[in-house]
Amino acid sequence: MAREATAGKVRKTYAAGVQEFAAWMSTDADDGLPMVATLVGAILLARATAGTELSEKILESTHKALTAPHGLRPGLLGTGTVGVGLDAT
């Protein structure tokens, strides 16, 4: 996209699609974008390491992190749960 002559128009369309997907994924006002970014990164890494144990581990751990109960997803921006878990004091 960056090298396209119509990059501005393409980027706006792409950005709108990313925002729409993030809104669809979101469980609250702030977590949709980090969820989408996490998914995209996980897919990129899993494909780059295809055929290794790491590839499957990336997908499994990302699935686990993103499907955990909302209050227990440490590290996701916008959730306010960094470092918080069941055993937090």
Side-chain angles (χ1 to χ4, degrees), residues 2-30:
R3 295 183 186 112
E4 290 292 321
T6 59
K9 183 178 179 181
V10 172
R11 282 190 195 122
K12 286 180 184 179
T13 302
Y14 192 84
V18 170
Q19 286 181 316
E20 185 178 331
F21 184 53
W24 181 78
M25 292 287 297
S26 183
T27 58
D28 70 28
D30 295 326

Side-chain angles (χ1 to χ4, degrees), residues 59-79:
L59 296 175
E60 287 175 3
S61 63
T62 301
H63 180 265
K64 183 178 177 181
L66 292 178
T67 58
H70 183 68
L72 303 175
R73 290 189 290 186
L76 286 183
L77 298 174
T79 63

Side-chain angles (χ1 to χ4, degrees), residues 35-55:
M35 289 174 74
V36 170
T38 300
L39 287 171
V40 170
I43 291 168
L44 257 165
L45 292 170
R47 286 184 178 174
T49 59
T52 69
E53 289 181 27
L54 181 59
S55 180

